[in-house]
Amino acid sequence: MSTILTHIAIADGKIKRSSLEVLSHCKQLADQGGHSVEAVVVDSNASSFVEGIQKYGASKVYVVEDPIFKNHMNTPLLKALVKVMESANPSVFAFASTESTKDILGALAANQNAAVLPDVSSFELMDGGVKAKRPVMAAKIISNTQAKGDTVLVSVRSGSYDLAENETSAEVVNVDFCMEDSELQAILKEIISASGDTIDLNEAESIVAAGRGVKDEEGQKLISELAQVLNAGIGASRALTEAGIYDPSLQIGQTGKVVSPQLYIAVGISGAIQHVAGMANSKVIVAINKDPDAPIFEISDYGIVGDLYKVLPPFIEELKKIKN
């Protein structure tokens, strides 16, 4: 029996949903193949998240707690994960594909001489390794790829799997950790938060995204009102972030964030391939555009052909009635 280890990412004092999605999938794989599934949480307040992790089926939870983990830094996180891997000896170590993961995955693989499958949309176990599906070329193509080795690291896009609670009484292993300042070659001096991104788009269950059709403050107001009614995050196309209408941190697409919400409402977005690369994995896509030939309709589950300035007000009012 081999071990599947899952990294549980923490952000803003909460477990990232995408991590629990990966843990849920790993639990399913473990049950199917007779493996054990374990989890590791590294944070300045790591022990407080154990109860939340136990709901998703891990048989053992490694807890690495130290004030140095208050903010993400590559070196201490790498040291902590290496230490846990030495104890867990996993055949597969799975991560949610977060920004932190993208920073640490290569360093961890090099340290452990492990194979890596980054940013996949799904993965399964096979003899001696892992096989996965990975969006490439701006998600125009899904590649079938695989990696073999004693240890395979894999990171999974948000929204690839559903949450599946499976309550367990996991063994909790507190891992001793100590790091001297002299070991840090890079010092974190300041974190500059993005403005306007009140809901993490990578974690949002619903997103309202604005495109070139949103031309003025009235349009932005409608986008905000719709997002508020749905408790959704606000995203934007590259055209609007480059124009300075929305913060660059809200850009969705090939050169922005890759999101996979349950509901994605594209307002005034034409559907250029660069934008679609960042949202094509959304569960339900609703498009609002006055151009009936806009490419966005080709990937949409529901479409409304019309001027957003005329469509959104009654749309928002109906949503409010439903909520009330």
Side-chain angles (χ1 to χ4, degrees), residues 114-221:
V116 187
L117 292 172
D119 208 28
V120 306
S121 58
S122 66
F123 76 97
E124 303 293 334
L125 305 182
M126 66 175 193
D127 289 341
V130 171
K131 60 182 179 181
K133 294 186 181 297
R134 185 168 184 265
V136 296
M137 300 182 69
K140 291 173 67 177
I141 297 174
I142 302 297
S143 67
N144 290 314
T145 185
Q146 64 181 45
K148 291 186 175 181
D150 293 335
T151 306
V152 178
L153 310 183
V154 58
S155 66
V156 187
R157 290 190 174 195
S158 172
S160 296
Y161 296 107
D162 294 327
L163 295 178
E165 290 195 13
N166 198 326
E167 188 89 29
T168 59
S169 56
E171 176 187 356
V172 178
V173 179
N174 292 300
V175 180
D176 292 334
F177 183 86
C178 180
M179 190 159 202
E180 302 295 334
D181 290 343
S182 58
E183 297 181 70
L184 293 173
Q185 296 184 342
I187 304 296
L188 178 65
K189 298 185 66 175
E190 183 183 10
I191 295 177
I192 301 174
S193 300
S195 61
D197 190 0
T198 55
I199 296 178
D200 183 354
L201 293 179
N202 292 317
E203 298 290 300
E205 294 194 4
S206 301
I207 292 175
V208 178
R212 198 186 297 271
V214 178
K215 299 177 180 177
D216 50 25
E217 290 186 2
E218 181 186 353
Q220 294 178 61
K221 184 178 177 181

Side-chain angles (χ1 to χ4, degrees), residues 238-286:
R238 179 178 173 180
L240 293 195
T241 58
E242 287 190 339
I245 297 175
Y246 284 97
D247 190 274
S249 66
L250 304 184
Q251 182 179 324
I252 294 171
Q254 186 177 9
T255 53
K257 291 184 176 178
V258 176
V259 298
S260 307
Q262 298 293 317
L263 172 64
Y264 189 90
I265 302 181
V267 183
I269 290 177
S270 64
I273 188 64
Q274 292 85 356
H275 182 79
V276 171
M279 46 68 71
N281 284 336
S282 303
K283 295 293 188 299
V284 176
I285 299 172
V286 178

Side-chain angles (χ1 to χ4, degrees), residues 26-159:
C26 288
K27 173 60 177 174
Q28 185 180 29
L29 293 178
D31 290 344
Q32 291 172 349
H35 308 293
S36 65
V37 59
E38 301 175 355
V40 52
V41 56
V42 181
D43 190 76
S44 59
N45 195 24
S47 57
S48 67
F49 303 107
V50 169
E51 185 176 350
I53 298 170
Q54 288 178 324
K55 294 180 181 176
Y56 292 88
S59 60
K60 184 182 292 184
V61 180
Y62 294 92
V63 177
V64 190
E65 187 168 292
D66 191 276
I68 201 169
F69 299 120
K70 183 178 181 180
N71 295 307
H72 170 82
M73 287 196 290
N74 184 292
T75 302
L77 180 57
L78 175 64
K79 183 176 180 178
L81 294 181
V82 167
K83 192 168 186 178
V84 171
M85 288 185 71
E86 289 172 352
S87 297
N89 189 28
S91 57
V92 176
F93 193 178
F95 297 73
S97 188
T98 65
E99 300 304 320
S100 172
T101 297
K102 292 173 184 175
D103 183 52
I104 198 70
L105 204 62
L108 184 60
N111 183 284
Q112 295 292 294
N113 193 29
V116 187
L117 292 172
D119 208 28
V120 306
S121 58
S122 66
F123 76 97
E124 303 293 334
L125 305 182
M126 66 175 193
D127 289 341
V130 171
K131 60 182 179 181
K133 294 186 181 297
R134 185 168 184 265
V136 296
M137 300 182 69
K140 291 173 67 177
I141 297 174
I142 302 297
S143 67
N144 290 314
T145 185
Q146 64 181 45
K148 291 186 175 181
D150 293 335
T151 306
V152 178
L153 310 183
V154 58
S155 66
V156 187
R157 290 190 174 195
S158 172

